[in-house]
Amino acid sequence: MAVVARPLILQYSPMLKSSLLLRELPRSLSHCSSFPSTTPCKISATHRFCSNFESLPESSSPGSESGASIVGDLLDYLNESWTQFHATAEAKRKLIAAGFHLLNENEEWDLKPGGRYFFTRNMSCIVAFAVGEKYSIGNGFHVIAAHTDSPCLKLKPKSASSKSGYLMVNVQTYGAGLWHTWFDRDLSVAGRVIVRSSSDTYLHKLVKVKRPLLRIPTLAIHLDRTVNQDGFKPNLETHLLPLLSIKPEETSDSKEKTAISKATHHSLLMEVLSDELNCQADDIVSVELNVCDTQPSCLGGGNNEFIFSGRLDNLASSFCALRALIDSCESPGDLTNEHAIRMVALFDNEEVGSGSVQGAGAPTMFQAMRRIISSLTDSYVGEGSFERSIRQSFLVSADMAHGVHPNFTEKHEEHHRPELQKGLVIKHNANQRYATSGITSFLFKEVGKIHNLPTQEFVVRNDMGCGSTIGPILASGVGIRTVDCGIAQLSMHSVREICGKKDVDIAYQHFKAFYKTFSGIDKKIRLDF
């Protein structure tokens, strides 16, 4: 009989990051549980983590220069980034800490070769770039683009409702989620609010209620006897409403009854938000909230080889791209011999088509490119500087990929079945649902080949529909060469997804190698001459 470890009680500072804490936990605590209801870093005997990170420092990643893994930092990023707003705020914090300068789109830019800069839009889209010290007008941009949003439930503008003695929260579906996976989960809310300040101005604030606040219960099998035969097919309008609380007893005060019945949001919910924000409930004038799963991102599997998390699609790609940009120009001299401009662009609203001011369908990135070129121009440079720059540019559209499911192998094309832990997946589609071409695929794979980084290929079956990415949107915007790629995962668009730990490090190393070496590789190919 195996020895069962006794629960471990830990005491430590609430400021301690989860990645640092988990490195100290023994392997026996390899169970999933949510963070406690107050501070997410406080641990008790009843709050255990999925795994520890003992194996992270191993230099097992192909092509790794330092041998250090970024997986622990990714888990911290995922656990902080419950919404697209939090993901952007975390990216902003990391860029500032790395010495990047914050720009304002409403102001004139004064850029210099060797400089590192970024700006945000709607606090859900972020563009960062580093200018090579040998950059000259007409040289290209080397870009990695991803997205900050994930399928989720969002509160309706009027979320307050009640049924059968319960306070309910009206929600709308965002993107193509696997909505049955949201039932019987410990849920909460996060997002942004607009708060009235004492000086009669309005402030944008982020909020995240870490404790389980909501739940969508399934119907007992005794009341739905054929569910296992016929399948679980909830009505998304009537069956997907989360419970907030037992409805309080009615009072004799008719004014109070009227206030409750006409409230835009439940007063109880507003009180919870005001407690989190340390303000008065009446000072909250607008809310934009997502429903979020409270279970933390963690390692799992018999050898801790998996990452179990929500929002891997597409925060895993976003983090790898961001970290690669930062690390590719963190040391003195990293930009000394660079002739191009290294850029990362993280957009919102990809899951619903990118058609928004903060989505890839807006000209955000290309407007920024024009402004960068204009700012770096200190004399007359001749005709078509932007167009010449685009011709020499290259875009990596990074979005998660479909790993082969062991229980549904027939869903994959026989010769294109990407596996977890086997490297980045290059996505191809003859109907241009992905923007990869033979040339762009070769160039990107050549980066990996030089640095001993494996890649895989994906093509969807002819008898199945194919999803798409921001790649074709951006490629067709101004004609920039583009390759679509991603980390293989399972359970895409579920409330909990799975990817391979090793693939995260491979993606990071591939993206970093792209920034550092693509200029030299691109010179070796001749096309349209």
Side-chain angles (χ1 to χ4, degrees):
M1 180 180 292
V3 177
V4 179
R6 296 180 62 187
L8 181 66
I9 300 177
L10 301 175
Q11 297 291 335
Y12 71 107
S13 166
M15 296 301 293
L16 191 61
K17 280 285 188 179
S18 62
S19 60
L20 298 177
L21 170 67
L22 294 179
R23 291 189 180 97
E24 306 302 323
L25 289 176
R27 288 186 182 274
S28 60
L29 294 186
S30 57
H31 303 280
C32 295
S33 178
S34 64
F35 284 117
S37 61
T38 54
T39 304
C41 292
K42 292 181 180 178
I43 307 300
S44 70
T46 58
H47 292 93
R48 296 170 294 178
F49 290 85
C50 294
S51 182
N52 66 78
F53 295 167
E54 291 175 4
S55 61
L56 295 186
E58 296 175 359
S59 70
S60 58
S61 300
S64 176
E65 297 173 4
S66 63
S69 172
I70 68 164
V71 172
D73 293 334
L74 169 63
L75 293 180
D76 285 332
Y77 180 74
L78 291 167
N79 284 323
E80 290 294 329
S81 304
W82 282 17
T83 72
Q84 69 276 31
F85 306 117
H86 290 83
T88 303
E90 274 296 291
K92 176 181 177 180
R93 183 184 64 79
K94 291 180 181 298
L95 288 165
I96 291 175
F100 282 69
H101 300 283
L102 175 62
L103 301 173
N104 188 330
E105 283 194 282
N106 299 328
E107 298 175 355
E108 187 174 352
W109 294 355
D110 181 19
L111 310 179
K112 305 294 182 185
R116 295 171 293 170
Y117 310 93
F118 76 98
F119 65 89
T120 66
R121 179 177 287 191
N122 189 51
M123 205 54 200
S124 63
C125 165
I126 190 165
V127 176
F129 57 95
V131 184
E133 292 186 18
K134 291 189 177 180
Y135 176 80
S136 60
I137 301 302
N139 289 353
F141 292 80
H142 298 161
V143 189
I144 303 176
H147 63 90
T148 59
D149 62 318
S150 302
C152 66
L153 302 175
K154 292 179 178 285
L155 267 64
K156 291 182 177 178
K158 294 183 178 180
S159 70
S161 67
S162 62
K163 289 183 179 180
S164 302
Y166 295 97
L167 296 185
M168 313 293 289
V169 178
N170 291 322
V171 295
Q172 53 185 328
T173 57
Y174 175 84
L178 291 172
W179 303 120
H180 67 275
T181 66
W182 287 74
F183 283 75
D184 294 335
R185 303 290 303 186
D186 296 345
L187 306 173
S188 191
V189 294
R192 69 174 173 189
V193 300
I194 305 300
V195 178
R196 181 189 298 109
S197 71
S198 57
S199 58
D200 203 28
T201 57
Y202 299 95
L203 304 176
H204 164 280
K205 290 190 175 184
L206 299 186
V207 64
K208 178 167 59 177
V209 181
K210 300 181 181 71
R211 68 180 176 90
L213 186 68
L214 306 172
R215 194 173 178 94
I216 308 172
T218 49
L219 185 63
I221 194 169
H222 314 83
L223 305 178
D224 190 9
R225 290 288 187 180
T226 63
V227 65
N228 289 330
Q229 292 76 40
D230 300 339
F232 182 46
K233 302 174 183 178
N235 182 290
L236 301 185
E237 178 65 23
T238 59
H239 298 157
L240 203 58
L241 275 68
L243 298 176
L244 173 65
S245 175
I246 299 293
K247 186 177 181 181
E249 293 184 6
E250 298 285 358
T251 68
S252 58
D253 189 336
S254 59
K255 292 183 179 180
E256 183 176 347
K257 288 181 181 179
T258 302
I260 292 175
S261 63
K262 292 185 177 181
T264 301
H265 304 286
H266 288 301
S267 59
L268 176 58
L269 176 60
M270 301 305 289
E271 290 170 8
V272 171
L273 296 176
S274 64
D275 288 343
E276 291 288 329
L277 295 166
N278 194 26
C279 70
Q280 297 297 316
D282 291 342
D283 289 332
I284 300 175
V285 298
S286 179
V287 301
E288 189 172 351
L289 300 176
N290 296 358
V291 176
C292 306
D293 186 17
T294 61
Q295 186 172 355
S297 304
C298 61
L299 293 185
N303 295 308
N304 283 335
E305 65 265 58
F306 300 128
I307 296 175
F308 298 158
S309 175
R311 307 175 304 282
L312 287 174
D313 177 17
N314 190 32
L315 292 186
S317 303
S318 297
F319 180 80
C320 289
L322 181 73
R323 180 67 176 267
L325 175 66
I326 291 173
D327 290 355
S328 73
C329 54
E330 65 175 347
S331 301
D334 279 344
L335 295 173
T336 301
N337 296 313
E338 179 60 81
H339 293 262
I341 295 175
R342 301 170 183 174
M343 176 179 282
V344 63
L346 308 180
F347 298 99
D348 193 4
N349 299 134
E350 188 274 345
E351 298 293 356
V352 291
S354 299
S356 68
V357 69
Q358 58 273 357
T364 309
M365 188 176 81
F366 302 119
Q367 287 176 348
M369 289 177 170
R370 287 185 182 277
R371 294 189 65 176
I372 292 167
I373 293 171
S374 177
S375 178
L376 292 171
T377 302
D378 53 11
S379 60
Y380 178 72
V381 295
E383 179 270 336
S385 56
F386 173 74
E387 288 76 13
R388 288 186 287 118
S389 180
I390 290 297
R391 294 290 79 74
Q392 297 195 65
S393 296
F394 193 94
L395 170 69
V396 177
S397 170
D399 205 346
M400 302 297 280
H402 296 290
V404 61
H405 194 304
N407 299 331
F408 299 92
T409 56
E410 72 280 1
K411 294 295 185 179
H412 275 71
E413 199 277 335
E414 181 181 2
H415 303 291
H416 299 86
R417 293 175 173 171
E419 299 178 40
L420 271 61
Q421 305 284 62
K422 295 295 180 67
L424 276 174
V425 179
I426 311 297
K427 305 176 185 180
H428 303 263
N429 185 262
N431 297 303
Q432 296 302 300
R433 299 295 289 171
Y434 303 128
T436 306
S437 70
I439 296 296
T440 61
S441 173
F442 165 76
L443 289 171
F444 191 66
K445 287 190 291 186
E446 193 69 10
V447 172
K449 181 179 178 181
I450 291 172
H451 293 84
N452 192 31
L453 295 163
T455 56
Q456 308 179 76
E457 311 280 354
F458 173 76
V459 176
V460 74
R461 289 171 56 102
N462 289 327
D463 55 1
M464 294 181 64
C466 183
S468 191
T469 68
I470 59 177
I473 296 173
L474 295 172
S476 61
V478 291
I480 186 172
R481 294 176 297 168
T482 302
V483 63
D484 267 297
C485 70
I487 298 170
Q489 73 162 100
L490 301 175
S491 304
M492 187 178 287
H493 287 197
S494 169
V495 73
R496 293 289 281 186
E497 300 172 321
I498 309 171
C499 75
K501 180 178 71 175
K502 186 186 297 184
D503 286 331
V504 169
D505 287 323
I506 293 174
Y508 159 70
Q509 292 294 343
H510 204 136
F511 293 162
K512 186 177 177 181
F514 165 72
Y515 282 131
K516 287 196 166 188
T517 64
F518 186 77
S519 291
I521 295 172
D522 195 28
K523 292 178 181 178
K524 297 180 180 180
I525 193 165
R526 293 290 180 267
L527 186 68
D528 296 329
F529 282 83

